[in-house]
Amino acid sequence: MQLNVKNTVQWMQRANEKMQANKDELTALDQPIGDGDHGINMARGFQEVATKLEEATYTNVSEVLKDVAMTLMSKVGGASGPLFGTAFLKLSTKLKGEELVDQTSFGAALNEAVNGLKQRGKAEEGEKTMVDMWASIAHYFTDNEHSTPAGLMASADAALEKIKAMTATKGRAAYFKEKTIGHQDPGSASTYFIFEALAEVWKGDSKA
């Protein structure tokens, strides 16, 4: 894979489309174990991201991701804004100066994003949070020499099922303990849509 300015912007635009299309689903996931506004917040934030990226001009991938981060931090309410903003900011920082981002660089940047999420959210893998999904995606890119869109989605699908079966031990959902088994974590679901968007843009690039 190779990320450049054009397909990184396309990635975020596709992610916005998915947030709008799945807004109600994400909100429904959040209602039993959270504040009930995750889908609304993510849809609003990514709409702002799409608008921002349309209006700006960029010279490298890092600049695009930095604007994504800053927009999410300022426009997404609750814990999601700082968390997703941190993840994209870490991606941006790690990829600074790179015009073309390959799989190795992207995998290293994803690891930085995971570390940032752990620090910001004071969470670890296995606690049924978005850390679990981001970490699974990072592992996919760092553990596989030749990554593919299909492989990325297979990894994301497996992670989503694994997370669903976990017991939440972090955040508001932790109050519900065993009741969270079998219920999907909203932040992991929205992360899934973000990387599903990446897989679709990547697949389109491969055909071209």
Side-chain angles (χ1 to χ4, degrees):
M1 70 168 288
Q2 280 195 331
L3 282 178
N4 53 37
V5 168
K6 181 180 178 182
N7 63 16
T8 303
V9 171
Q10 289 173 339
W11 171 22
M12 292 299 107
Q13 290 170 335
R14 184 69 60 90
N16 174 49
E17 291 170 5
K18 291 188 177 294
M19 293 305 169
Q20 305 310 322
N22 295 283
K23 176 174 66 176
D24 292 343
E25 177 188 337
L26 291 172
T27 293
L29 287 177
D30 196 35
Q31 283 170 341
I33 60 172
D35 294 326
D37 57 1
H38 185 70
I40 296 166
N41 284 335
M42 294 300 288
R44 180 174 63 241
F46 271 87
Q47 182 59 63
E48 293 284 349
V49 165
T51 300
K52 173 70 176 177
L53 299 188
E54 284 174 5
E55 296 171 347
T57 302
Y58 301 98
T59 58
N60 58 59
V61 171
S62 176
E63 292 175 357
V64 179
L65 296 174
K66 184 176 181 180
D67 265 1
V68 172
M70 295 300 143
T71 303
L72 293 176
M73 284 181 177
S74 64
K75 300 297 182 181
V76 178
S80 296
L83 287 169
F84 279 96
T86 293
F88 280 102
L89 188 59
K90 290 291 185 179
L91 289 177
S92 169
T93 302
K94 187 67 175 176
L95 297 174
K96 192 170 183 178
E98 296 190 33
E99 289 186 23
L100 282 177
V101 176
D102 62 15
Q103 175 184 331
T104 301
S105 295
F106 191 55
L110 284 169
N111 281 329
E112 287 297 309
V114 171
N115 290 334
L117 285 171
K118 288 179 177 179
Q119 291 168 359
R120 172 66 72 141
K122 295 180 173 56
E124 295 295 332
E125 290 174 56
E127 294 183 322
K128 197 174 180 132
T129 71
M130 59 189 281
V131 167
D132 293 298
M133 180 57 78
W134 279 85
S136 294
I137 300 297
H139 288 317
Y140 174 72
F141 279 102
T142 55
D143 295 349
N144 292 279
E145 187 175 350
H146 300 294
S147 58
T148 64
L152 170 58
M153 289 316 302
S155 177
D157 285 334
L160 207 61
E161 287 305 306
K162 184 178 178 181
I163 293 164
K164 188 175 182 179
M166 291 177 181
T167 302
T169 58
K170 183 66 64 175
R172 190 165 184 154
Y175 291 111
F176 299 92
K177 298 180 182 177
E178 288 78 12
K179 290 182 180 179
T180 60
I181 297 173
H183 186 85
Q184 191 54 262
D185 170 62
S188 297
S190 51
T191 300
Y192 177 92
F193 291 132
I194 290 169
F195 286 100
E196 184 180 43
L198 174 61
E200 289 175 5
V201 169
W202 180 8
K203 189 175 181 181
D205 287 345
S206 299
K207 288 179 179 177

